[in-house]
Amino acid sequence: MKRFPLFLSAMRFRMVTQQVEQLARQSYFDALAELFVAPDHADTCDRLRDALHAVAGLAAEVGVDCRELEAALEDPLPSPEEAAAEYGALFLTGEIPLPLYESAWTEDASAPEVCRASYEKAGLGLTGDFGMPYDHLTLEFAFLSVLVLKGAQGEAEDFFAAHPAKWLPALSRALVNHPDAKFFRTVGLALAAIVSIEHWRREDRK
């Protein structure tokens, strides 16, 4: 029986690992992009369950402490109606709604246009009224999902570092510490893990 030389076997393993990593990242960017625009869709929570487990698995793989996230994932996910109600209380109708766009957290008024330019440069020009700014979490994560799916790993890592990495830590802390956050506390833990994963990937590439 023919055997691969050791270096070829290692290369093949690394290629498989990279493919699994790419699928995990694409799934969590995509599912979270949908959550923050359509929390009441019937399949959003189902897709999110797999995505959050992908976050925890990938975080553990790169050495990020995700024990709190893993513990939170043992709780059942809410129904679409419950998720939508909590979403509304946190981001829409609460006493001080949490903003879901970069410029609100960084106070950088140029962020929406800088994001739009990045989308257009990648051939993803947006037309029409989306009802949200270009630096909204949904659009930033949807863009990252597309980049990862296309295999544009460097572009994805650079965009994450230039945009979500600058404000997701603050949003994550706000969700984890918010007295009304239950399910979205788990989401906040996942966002923190994603920031750590993406930072590790960028450093590993240097």
Side-chain angles (χ1 to χ4, degrees), residues 133-157:
Y134 291 115
D135 60 340
H136 192 282
L137 180 57
T138 285
L139 293 180
E140 290 192 357
F141 269 22
F143 181 54
L144 285 162
S145 175
V146 171
L147 290 178
V148 173
L149 189 63
K150 290 170 60 178
Q153 303 298 339
E155 290 89 335
E157 290 162 15

Side-chain angles (χ1 to χ4, degrees), residues 8 21 28 34 39 49 63-64 75 80 98 103 106 115 118 124:
L8 288 179
E21 218 175 80
Y28 63 61
E34 183 176 4
R49 178 187 294 107
V64 173
D75 296 331
L98 296 173
S103 50
T106 63
C115 284
S118 295
L124 299 171

Side-chain angles (χ1 to χ4, degrees), residues 42-98:
D43 64 341
T44 296
C45 286
D46 287 336
R47 293 180 61 234
L48 191 63
R49 178 187 294 107
D50 293 337
L52 293 179
H53 280 287
V55 173
L58 192 51
E61 191 70 26
V62 301
V64 173
D65 184 356
C66 58
R67 287 172 292 182
E68 195 173 2
L69 173 59
E70 289 173 340
L73 289 174
E74 294 179 3
D75 296 331
L77 289 181
S79 67
E81 295 76 18
E82 290 169 335
E86 187 176 332
Y87 177 94
L90 292 171
F91 306 112
L92 300 176
T93 62
E95 184 176 348
I96 305 178
L98 296 173

Side-chain angles (χ1 to χ4, degrees), residues 172-194:
S172 170
R173 287 191 297 270
L175 289 173
V176 170
N177 296 316
H178 200 292
D180 296 329
K182 297 175 183 177
F183 164 60
F184 277 93
R185 181 179 184 279
T186 302
V187 173
L189 292 170
L191 292 175
I194 289 170

